[in-house]
Amino acid sequence: METVAEFSLELLRAGDRVEFARLVESFSVSIYRLALQMLGNQQDAEDVLQITFVKAFQHLGEFEGRSSLSTWLYRVATNEALMLMRRKDASVSLDEEKSDDEGDSFQPHELADWTKLPEGDLLDVEARTQLEKAIRSLPVRLRAVFLMRDIEGLSIRDTGEALGLTETAVKTRLLRARLQLREKLSAYFGERLRQENKK
Amino acid sequence: MIHEHGLECRDLLGNLSEFIDGGLDDETCEKLRSHMSGCENCRLVFDTTTRTIYLYQTVANETALPEDVRGRLFNTLKLDDLIKPTRRAHES
Ligand SMILES: [Zn+2]
């Protein structure tokens, strides 16, 4: 989902307003979506969106390349989101937890084959609520990686740069995030499948 | 469970993300495919994980920036004069 628009770094560095407006147009949806999924609150997401671009405008002169520019935006947005989260819960952190090292903690358990459910069922109002619930229940260190990599389409490398993680850490967390979400959705859709079959 | 080629379920699990993202060499992919054709559980984990990602991407694709949020953003940045009329209403 990475935007493909090209920007003139020269114009941006020179503080060109038109070029900056194009940048805002291009990335505002992604940044807002990321913040909204991190925080689960529209007002907080809007605050993060505004702060991110205000800071971007102040630091335009420092951008060195297109990749560093988008990574920079995601990094600022994530840091702002984390700060907002910490105001409500001081323990919020991107740091590794002990439990992450317990090797088999992400062994799949739910083995219902719900993939054949019609797409209408997989994306109805109730299912969407469950999708939302599942992602909100992920620890933030996993959620952030999943959102950047799978939703915003950043590479493993850029995700690592934006979050200050090594590529290995990104890969480990991505797998855990995907498997945990799979587990939660499987529990929910598996139950629906059983209800379906009873009919 | 140990299958032919010495490939086990946990090898598949360990490589699952890269397999999904297409970051593995042909030989490893072939081994994983062959494992899955004989291991129902791994096939299922693969299918449901891919589907999980797909569902989140589908929902995310529908997320637009609310007009009022967009308006306030451009206003904060003093770019009101450069705000373009909504394109997304027709595009999506
Ligand atoms: Zn297996």
Side-chain angles (χ1 to χ4, degrees), chain B residues 1 3 8-9 12 35 39 41-42:
Chain B
M1 234 191 299
H3 297 260
E8 299 175 36
C9 297
L12 186 126
H35 174 86
C39 181
N41 280 2
C42 280

Side-chain angles (χ1 to χ4, degrees), chain A residues 60-96:
Chain A
L60 279 177
E62 298 159 27
F63 293 132
E64 279 161 16
R66 218 196 85 72
S67 157
S68 82
L69 188 139
S70 60
T71 309
W72 189 94
L73 289 171
Y74 288 115
R75 182 167 52 228
V76 173
T78 315
N79 286 339
E80 294 298 332
L82 284 170
M83 279 203 299
L84 276 183
M85 290 164 105
R86 282 192 199 111
R87 267 183 225 161
K88 290 166 190 167
D89 174 2
S91 72
V92 168
S93 158
L94 279 181
D95 295 343
E96 199 76 14

Side-chain angles (χ1 to χ4, degrees), chain B residues 36-47:
Chain B
M36 281 200 293
S37 68
C39 181
E40 179 65 8
N41 280 2
C42 280
R43 188 200 54 81
L44 211 139
V45 169
F46 172 78
D47 284 352

Side-chain angles (χ1 to χ4, degrees), chain A residues 20-38:
Chain A
F20 184 62
R22 285 184 58 218
L23 181 81
V24 177
E25 282 290 0
S26 269
F27 284 101
S28 49
V29 185
S30 290
I31 298 296
Y32 180 74
R33 188 167 49 202
L34 178 73
L36 190 58
Q37 295 280 18
M38 288 274 286

